[in-house]
Amino acid sequence: MKKILGTGVALALLTGAAVAADIPVKAPILKAAPAPVWDVAIGGWIGSDYNFRGISQSDRSPTGGAYFEVQYNGVVGQLYAGVAGSGVDLSGDVGLSDPASEIDFYAGWRNTWGKFSLDVGYWYYWYPQETFNTDFQEVYVKAAYAVTPDLTFGVNLFYTPDLLNQSLFAGTDVDALYTSATLKWVTPWTSGNWGSFISGEVGYWDINFVPGFHLVDPSYTYWNAGFALTYKAITIDFRYHDTDHSTASCAAVLGIPGATNRASQTYCSEAFIVKVSFDTLLSKVK
């Protein structure tokens, strides 16, 4: 289950003033190169774990993924649609669905007005070849405000009407709303093509409590904080993830009544994760 992933369009700055030696001229005006009408974002990642809102999707083992996103840049913003895939290990020995992988389909619209940006879309999580159906969908709204060119604050909302299709077990829909706040600071520590940033997130997943199926309220708080190095299109991220899960609440959100301690200790425990990712646009590839 991946949260989702948006790729912004980088803007190149051009200078276009001709200089005549015998007359004074104004300083050249910087102009943003217009984005191509059509573009494609591509990327991939490998990491020591795949963590989704504080819950491991790979049994605390290394895994990776990739995505492909088509973008249309119009006068009212950018329309996009993409597909992403990730390796998972949701083990059947603790009652999970044991799928072969996670495949995500998503689409939406994003735009920026000065310091404010907005991203609205739809995400579908598909788990092929699993022993029982845990596919689910979300609609999302992500907003961000650039306090300074280097400091950005964001808020996110993700809503699903049927989390992990737990209605198959409980006989009623299990809807859930995830809300979070993010902060990212691009540090002044740069050298050549190297850069860095510090970022974090605090979120709350409000999951509908279904008596008779959930032994305890499955809702929980999740947070992460980390430091990342960037080199051109490559990011090396070092991040700590944690939640306020108990063994029982972990079992509830995983949909495993009576789950073993291993399920809680393995899938819902705190984790330090190292991830290397690559993100670029075809228009930037030369």
Side-chain angles (χ1 to χ4, degrees):
M1 295 176 283
K2 195 168 109 121
K3 142 171 112 13
I4 224 139
L5 82 128
T7 304
V9 177
L11 297 178
L13 297 180
L14 304 179
T15 57
V19 178
D22 56 346
I23 58 173
V25 296
K26 295 181 179 179
I29 299 174
L30 299 181
K31 297 181 179 179
V37 175
W38 290 98
D39 210 343
V40 174
I42 54 175
W45 63 274
I46 56 173
S48 58
D49 184 21
Y50 169 21
N51 188 287
F52 179 77
R53 297 175 192 166
I55 301 175
S56 175
Q57 305 298 292
S58 59
D59 201 2
R60 300 302 186 197
S61 299
T63 189
Y67 73 92
F68 176 92
E69 178 182 296
V70 178
Q71 302 174 347
Y72 173 76
N73 297 295
V75 295
V76 293
Q78 181 185 89
L79 297 174
Y80 63 89
V83 59
S86 301
V88 298
D89 186 0
L90 297 167
S91 178
D93 65 356
V94 293
L96 300 179
S97 64
D98 199 22
S101 62
E102 176 189 318
I103 307 297
D104 303 328
F105 303 96
Y106 64 95
W109 166 85
R110 58 174 75 102
N111 199 14
T112 299
W113 302 267
K115 297 182 177 182
F116 178 76
S117 61
L118 186 65
D119 186 351
V120 180
Y122 170 85
W123 201 284
Y124 187 83
Y125 303 84
W126 176 45
Y127 299 92
Q129 300 179 28
E130 58 184 345
T131 56
F132 53 88
N133 184 18
T134 65
D135 302 343
F136 75 106
Q137 59 189 321
E138 285 186 316
V139 291
Y140 58 86
V141 178
K142 299 186 286 184
Y145 182 78
V147 182
T148 72
D150 298 324
L151 182 65
T152 302
F153 172 77
V155 292
N156 309 299
L157 298 173
F158 293 81
Y159 173 76
T160 175
D162 195 2
L163 178 62
L164 298 178
N165 278 310
Q166 291 184 6
S167 59
L168 295 175
F169 307 96
T172 185
D173 288 340
V174 180
D175 63 322
L177 177 66
Y178 178 74
T179 58
S180 74
T182 61
L183 193 66
K184 179 180 178 179
W185 176 50
V186 179
T187 75
W189 309 321
T190 61
S191 177
N193 290 316
W194 286 93
S196 62
F197 65 84
I198 297 171
S199 65
E201 176 184 15
V202 176
Y204 182 73
W205 208 356
D206 185 7
I207 302 171
N208 184 26
F209 175 57
V210 181
F213 174 67
H214 292 139
L215 301 179
V216 299
D217 188 347
S219 303
Y220 68 97
T221 300
Y222 159 68
W223 61 92
N224 72 68
F227 170 77
L229 296 171
T230 60
Y231 179 78
K232 295 183 178 180
I234 298 173
T235 301
I236 308 171
D237 188 86
F238 307 86
R239 191 160 303 274
Y240 176 79
H241 303 256
D242 203 357
T243 72
D244 63 353
H245 270 305
S246 65
T247 300
S249 66
C250 174
V253 76
L254 291 174
I256 318 172
T260 64
N261 285 334
R262 190 183 94 72
S264 178
Q265 294 168 357
T266 301
Y267 289 93
C268 299
S269 60
E270 70 276 6
F272 179 77
I273 298 172
V274 180
K275 184 173 75 172
V276 180
S277 59
F278 172 83
D279 303 276
T280 192
L281 296 168
L282 287 186
S283 63
K284 303 300 179 184
V285 177
K286 298 180 180 180

